[in-house]
């Protein structure tokens, strides 16, 4: 079953399973997906789902509907498409499409986030965080960042590392030449301090970092 993940200012707000037929998006409280923002029309757009296919159509909204930064009237949604309505985003997730795509279908939570066995759980450190998978077959999953060191990358290819201290998390480059991106920009070799809501891109997968 397909779904959309609603985010605002890089924070995950809600997840909506897409029912067969019409699902309206807008500011009105009686629509299927309500977005409480003055930038959103009362009935802004409609997602129509039949079988495994979903289509989004703008309903004559004031500010328009965008998919992957392009204004649309009607669009056949594909897995990982990003719908932009006002300042809110809806990430379209279709696991069936993802499985037949020409990308690895391993569970990202198992193969991309790898904590070294020698790094024990830390006790008495109040700072906690999690990663939310925003793209790929495991979109919508939450991964706890509970180790002192968390490696990012597929098995055998460490593309980046999140290192936790008592008061911060730092993203640094891994062993490969493919540097991680932070909020759309390549990180420096010395690393970058992570903030709540940051979006990390590594090994072709987008993750959102959130402090708890």
């Amino acid at each position: 079953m397909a779904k959309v993940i609603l985010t605002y200012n890089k924070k995950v707000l809600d997840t909506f399973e897409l029912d067969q037929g019409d699902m309206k998006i807008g500011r009105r409280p009686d629509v299927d997906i309500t977005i409480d923002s003055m930038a959103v029309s009362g009935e802004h757009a409609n997602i129509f789902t039949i079988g495994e296919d979903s289509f989004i159509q703008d309903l004559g909204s004031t500010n328009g509907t965008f998919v992957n930064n392009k204004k649309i009237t009607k669009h056949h949604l594909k897995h990982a498409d990003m719908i932009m309505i006002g300042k809110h985003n809806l990430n379209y997730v279709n696991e069936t499409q993802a499985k037949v795509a020409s990308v690895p279908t391993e569970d990202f939570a198992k193969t991309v986030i790898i904590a070294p066995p020698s790094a024990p759980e830390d006790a008495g450190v109040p700072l906690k965080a999690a990663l939310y998978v925003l793209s790929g077959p495991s979109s919508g999953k939450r991964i706890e960042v509970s180790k002192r060191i968390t490696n990012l990358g597929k098995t055998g290819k460490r593309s980046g590392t999140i290192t936790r201290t008592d008061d911060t998390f730092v993203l640094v480059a891994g062993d490969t030449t493919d540097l991680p991106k932070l909020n759309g920009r390549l990180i420096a070799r010395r690393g970058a301090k992570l903030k709540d809501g940051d979006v990390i891109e590594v090994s072709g997968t987008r993750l959102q970092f959130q402090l708890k």
Side-chain angles (χ1 to χ4, degrees):
M1 179 179 290
K3 60 186 176 183
V4 289
I5 302 170
L6 177 65
T7 63
Y8 175 74
N9 198 23
K10 300 178 183 178
K11 289 185 179 291
V12 176
L13 301 181
D14 208 343
T15 299
F16 299 90
E17 302 285 348
L18 295 181
D19 297 330
Q20 294 291 301
D22 294 300
M23 290 187 69
K24 284 188 170 60
I25 306 167
R27 192 175 70 250
R28 285 173 38 182
D30 58 341
V31 298
D32 302 290
I33 300 174
T34 299
I35 301 176
D36 187 12
S37 169
M38 292 303 295
V40 180
S41 298
E43 288 192 359
H44 195 107
N46 182 70
I47 295 180
F48 176 75
T49 301
I50 180 169
E52 294 296 334
D53 293 304
S54 297
F55 303 83
I56 185 166
Q57 182 175 1
D58 185 78
L59 298 178
S61 64
T62 300
N63 294 319
T65 300
F66 297 78
V67 177
N68 303 327
N69 293 315
K70 294 182 180 180
K71 190 173 184 179
I72 60 96
T73 300
K74 187 174 183 180
H75 176 79
H76 183 188
L77 290 167
K78 299 292 188 296
H79 175 69
D81 274 351
M82 184 65 73
I83 304 164
M84 287 146 281
I85 295 179
K87 294 183 179 181
H88 288 71
N89 291 331
L90 289 160
N91 187 30
Y92 177 72
V93 178
N94 188 314
E95 295 180 358
T96 300
Q97 289 181 4
K99 288 178 181 177
V100 299
S102 58
V103 295
T105 57
E106 293 88 0
D107 186 346
F108 183 85
K110 294 180 180 178
T111 64
V112 179
I113 303 299
I114 311 165
S118 59
E121 295 288 342
D122 295 302
V125 179
L127 198 60
K128 295 181 181 180
L131 293 169
Y132 288 85
V133 184
L134 299 180
S135 67
S138 297
S139 290
K141 286 193 175 181
R142 171 176 168 161
I143 303 162
E144 298 293 330
V145 181
S146 57
K147 302 282 187 179
R148 178 69 72 175
I149 296 174
T150 300
N151 290 335
L152 307 178
K154 296 181 180 180
T155 305
K157 294 182 179 180
R158 186 176 62 179
S159 299
T161 298
I162 295 177
T163 302
R164 187 187 72 178
T165 65
D166 289 354
D167 60 357
T168 191
F169 291 83
V170 178
L171 174 68
V172 297
D175 302 327
T176 69
T177 57
D178 184 17
L179 292 175
K181 289 183 179 180
L182 183 62
N183 300 322
R185 296 184 178 181
L186 292 174
I187 68 166
R189 278 289 176 183
R190 65 180 180 273
K193 182 178 178 181
L194 291 172
K195 303 184 296 297
D196 185 43
D198 278 347
V199 175
I200 301 166
E201 295 177 55
V202 62
S203 298
T205 301
R206 297 173 68 246
L207 306 158
Q208 184 181 47
F209 176 81
Q210 287 193 4
L211 291 172
K212 298 189 292 179

